[in-house]
Amino acid sequence: MRAALYERHGSAADVLRVAEIETPEPGPGEVRVRMTLSGVNPTDWKARCGATPRPIDGFQVPHHDGTGVIDAVGEGVDDGRIGQRVWTWLAATNRRWGTAAQWSVLPSRQAVPLPDGASDELGACLGVPAMTAHRCLFADGPVDGKNVLVAGGAGAVGHFAIELAKFFGARVATTVSGRQKAELARQAGADHVVNYRDADAAGQLRAFAPIMDRIVEVALGANLELDLAVSGPPTHIVDYAAEPSDPVLPVRKCMSANVTLRFVLIYGVPAGAQDQAAADISTALDAARLTVLPVTRFPLEEVVAAHEAVEAGIVGKVLIEIP
């Protein structure tokens, strides 16, 4: 099969290549998916370059997310799953068979049926962003009737955080950095959109809700002052991304707000919570309440350019077409 792979950590141009390798077979509890699209996330280039290094078992086919059709199952998996159209999550975690290949093999639970009404593009955009968004929202309980602030509402995690929060009954405000991103956040369903660069950003947020119940945070150090301006005893600030430099924590201000800080990395989320996230995402998909951000496509042979685009911070999602 044709697959993108790397055998050592480094820049995309130095280590990524496309080659013919043996097609994998599913083991017990696994399914094999004939991939259609592979989604590229920041976590993928960080693993590849060694910023968040993970062991390489000879070679690594990158990417966790994608869509395709199950064409083989391992022992213990219902063969009725063959022919099922699916979206995948964490396909490359502790495994060499990521989604940037014609076939990927992964545990059956990590290949989730994709409703007929959901496009391949949407399915390939879920995985890491949607699962992360779900954990940030629901790790501390339901959000029905709650006030939720999503930092970076035009990013992939922010996009799905807005949509999932709205679907499950929350009022949602979000912060962005410009008009294009503001429009993307509004299209996702945000009730209130604020440019965090505005001098009165805190006042604009307090006009929506004096105290937020959840804050889904992408840049804790940069945004903490603004977050604390709308925080109080019910507030949980949930951070899912690391900045180049660790923030200095204003302990007294956090104490005064009686705020709770939580950190999320989807790889370490308990299995039960991961499964609940997949189930809730599927419910939202069935209701046609999740949408696609602007998509930029690359052919598999241009996987280097795809990684470089994500590294450069392209707006929207990057998908790789699998031949």
Side-chain angles (χ1 to χ4, degrees):
M1 70 172 182
R2 297 290 286 171
L5 58 87
Y6 58 90
E7 293 140 321
R8 57 188 175 86
H9 298 120
S11 70
D14 286 342
V15 303
L16 270 175
R17 62 190 178 93
V18 177
E20 288 283 344
I21 60 173
E22 185 176 354
T23 302
E25 295 294 332
E30 296 179 340
V31 297
R32 186 175 69 189
V33 180
R34 178 57 168 96
M35 301 307 305
T36 303
L37 292 171
S38 177
V40 190
N41 293 297
T43 191
D44 298 315
W45 70 255
K46 290 174 184 177
R48 181 261 305 150
C49 77
T52 54
R54 297 181 180 91
I56 299 174
D57 179 21
F59 64 85
Q60 180 67 56
V61 177
H63 309 167
H64 298 290
D65 302 346
T67 47
V69 176
I70 293 175
D71 75 346
V73 299
E75 181 182 351
V77 179
D78 182 0
D79 61 11
R81 295 211 68 188
I82 294 174
Q84 225 175 45
R85 190 162 151 262
V86 296
W87 61 276
T88 68
W89 54 275
L90 297 191
T93 300
N94 301 319
R95 311 171 61 80
R96 59 165 55 163
W97 305 111
T99 65
Q102 291 178 309
W103 280 271
S104 180
V105 165
L106 70 164
S108 178
R109 63 188 271 268
Q110 291 168 225
V112 185
L114 190 63
D116 290 340
S119 68
D120 282 355
E121 282 190 342
L122 176 55
C125 291
L126 298 172
V128 169
M131 300 280 285
T132 298
H134 185 280
R135 180 62 174 173
C136 290
L137 289 169
F138 296 102
D140 298 292
V143 297
D144 185 29
K146 304 291 188 182
N147 293 311
V148 173
L149 171 60
V150 176
V157 175
H159 175 81
F160 289 118
I162 292 170
E163 294 190 331
L164 288 169
K166 289 295 295 179
F167 178 67
F168 285 99
R171 298 175 70 242
V172 181
T174 187
T175 55
V176 296
S177 61
R179 290 183 181 179
Q180 179 192 13
K181 292 181 178 181
E183 182 56 31
L184 290 174
R186 290 189 187 97
Q187 290 173 6
D191 299 296
H192 190 57
V193 181
V194 173
N195 188 324
Y196 64 80
R197 293 172 174 160
D198 288 351
D200 64 340
Q204 293 178 51
L205 290 173
R206 280 194 292 262
F208 175 79
I211 294 178
M212 298 291 178
D213 297 290
R214 300 276 197 287
I215 299 177
V216 179
E217 186 53 77
V218 65
L220 184 65
N223 296 334
L224 188 53
E225 285 291 328
L226 181 58
D227 293 344
L228 290 174
V230 289
S231 292
T235 307
H236 289 75
I237 301 174
V238 189
D239 180 65
Y240 64 87
E243 296 165 280
S245 298
D246 287 334
V248 175
L249 195 65
V251 174
R252 176 58 64 180
K253 288 185 178 181
C254 292
M255 291 173 64
S256 296
N258 278 271
V259 73
T260 299
L261 293 177
R262 176 186 283 274
F263 298 89
V264 167
L265 186 63
I266 192 62
Y267 304 101
V269 168
Q274 291 176 338
D275 291 338
Q276 187 61 56
D280 286 347
I281 290 164
S282 292
T283 300
L285 280 172
D286 285 334
R289 292 292 296 274
L290 301 181
T291 63
V292 183
L293 279 163
V295 166
T296 303
R297 288 177 174 240
F298 291 86
L300 180 62
E301 301 294 330
E302 295 180 17
V303 63
V304 170
H307 270 234
E308 290 173 343
V310 177
E311 247 181 291
I314 189 172
V315 174
K317 284 292 297 182
V318 168
L319 301 180
I320 290 180
E321 299 170 339
I322 308 299

